[in-house]
Amino acid sequence: MNVSDLMTLYDYNYWANRRILAAAAQLSPEELVAPQNLSWGSIRDVLVHTLGAEWLWRIRCQEHRSPSTMLDPQQFPTVESIATRWAEEEKAMRAYLASLTEDNLSQPLAYVTTAGRPFSSTLWHILVHVVNHGTQHRAEIAQVLTQLGHSPGDLDMILYDREMAEGGSDSPS
């Protein structure tokens, strides 16, 4: 893995997040928090879980400390509040990724899970995991958004790639 390829994965990740957030912004407040057949309950809760996982892994990787809790969905009552926090996280993650070298990426990182269990993983595996985790949860949310009449459209990486090749306006921040 190299830093440039990793940055491309994160560019895609944030492009896809923005599409999900734009579709979710069309929901009523009740639809946002209504229990769904999702891994974390409501659309809001899955969004906050995904954001929280990204934040948690960045803290583990960048600051070498392991937060003991995830973000609280109750602190994010609206899609706008989630999007605002995600924009801050994106900026922090991009700055962290820009500081890395290929040598950094191949190093092991020791961390502790929120349950207190110690692990070690190669840094680039962790950073790719964050994108893959986001893909899983975006797919869940996209299905429910589509059922509610607010499809985010296709979220495939190849579509992101084509859009960027054609001079798409959703270029990295």
Side-chain angles (χ1 to χ4, degrees), residues 3-164:
V3 174
S4 177
D5 289 342
L6 191 62
M7 294 293 279
T8 298
L9 287 174
Y10 275 82
D11 290 344
Y12 159 72
N13 187 60
Y14 294 124
W15 170 87
N17 283 348
R18 283 189 284 278
R19 292 186 71 151
I20 287 289
L21 290 167
Q26 299 174 51
L27 298 173
S28 70
E30 295 77 23
E31 289 173 317
L32 181 64
V33 299
Q36 302 287 344
N37 190 19
L38 294 167
S39 58
W40 294 91
S42 70
I43 291 172
R44 188 253 338 247
D45 291 0
V46 178
L47 287 169
V48 174
H49 166 76
T50 308
L51 165 61
E54 185 175 315
W55 163 78
L56 181 135
W57 281 112
R58 182 184 56 78
I59 296 299
R60 286 175 178 162
C61 295
Q62 183 178 28
E63 299 180 14
H64 303 283
R65 64 181 179 88
S66 294
S68 58
T69 61
M70 294 286 284
L71 299 177
D72 179 2
Q74 299 298 322
Q75 300 298 312
F76 300 90
T78 64
V79 173
E80 183 180 348
S81 65
I82 298 167
T84 297
R85 178 62 177 85
W86 222 321
E88 294 167 4
E89 183 53 39
E90 176 181 349
K91 184 177 178 182
M93 180 64 88
R94 286 184 181 282
Y96 168 63
L97 294 172
S99 76
L100 297 174
T101 65
E102 275 73 20
D103 186 53
N104 297 137
L105 293 175
S106 65
Q107 298 301 310
L109 179 81
Y111 60 92
V112 178
T113 66
T114 55
R117 189 167 173 208
F119 282 97
S120 179
S121 298
T122 303
L123 181 59
W124 79 262
H125 294 184
I126 292 169
L127 294 171
V128 169
H129 161 74
V130 171
V131 175
N132 192 52
H133 178 262
T135 299
Q136 173 192 344
H137 290 303
R138 282 190 301 268
E140 284 185 285
I141 294 168
Q143 180 179 359
V144 174
L145 286 168
T146 299
Q147 290 169 349
L148 294 171
H150 303 290
S151 174
D154 293 332
L155 300 171
D156 303 68
M157 185 168 174
I158 196 70
L159 297 178
Y160 160 78
D161 190 52
R162 290 174 188 164
E163 189 176 308
M164 294 305 107

